[in-house]
Amino acid sequence: QVQLVESGGGLVQPGESLRLSCAASGNIVSINAMGWYRQAPGKERELVATVTRAGINYADSVKGRFTIARDNAKNTVYLQMNSLKPEDTAVYYCNADIFSGAIAWGNYWGQGTQVTVSS
């Protein structure tokens, strides 16, 4: 069974930084896209950043402030968030397209980690 486990959320002040991590585990054969989404209270879940073999994609609202990176050897994706703003406050979810030995290709979500930016 495939699982995505996030870590690294927390409470920070505007202008500060956080680094999120998401590790995939289980009977993994291959991973295609990995990425981060977020959902603020009362809003729909939105894409933050994704990384595939083809390249990297960022939401306009985080370009120049957030950096996504992937460690294929560890099946882990990171999100370095700098110059955080109050509007970045949300639950951040990890997402991945994973080929596992049991189910073939599937899309998986982590449980979410809270990021709060407030003075």
Side-chain angles (χ1 to χ4, degrees):
Q1 185 172 350
V2 173
Q3 285 188 322
L4 299 179
V5 179
E6 301 120 332
S7 61
L11 171 64
V12 297
Q13 294 187 347
E16 293 186 339
S17 298
L18 275 176
R19 187 189 193 215
L20 305 182
S21 300
C22 171
S25 63
N27 188 11
I28 296 171
V29 176
S30 179
I31 301 178
N32 187 10
M34 298 188 82
W36 292 93
Y37 291 72
R38 67 186 181 187
Q39 187 166 19
K43 295 188 177 181
E44 294 187 353
R45 191 173 296 187
E46 63 176 3
L47 179 146
V48 176
T50 59
V51 53
T52 70
R53 294 181 178 86
I56 292 175
N57 183 45
Y58 293 102
D60 288 342
S61 59
V62 307
K63 284 181 181 177
R65 300 188 298 122
F66 291 10
T67 302
I68 190 170
R70 180 171 166 175
D71 185 334
N72 291 325
K74 296 182 179 179
N75 291 333
T76 299
V77 63
Y78 306 95
L79 185 68
Q80 178 66 42
M81 304 185 293
N82 298 330
S83 301
L84 282 161
K85 303 176 182 180
E87 50 263 43
D88 294 318
T89 295
V91 178
Y92 284 70
Y93 296 91
C94 178
N95 179 267
D97 291 326
I98 298 175
F99 189 99
S100 70
I103 303 177
W105 283 107
N107 184 261
Y108 297 87
W109 291 93
Q111 80 284 359
T113 185
Q114 177 70 46
V115 172
T116 303
V117 185
S118 175
S119 56

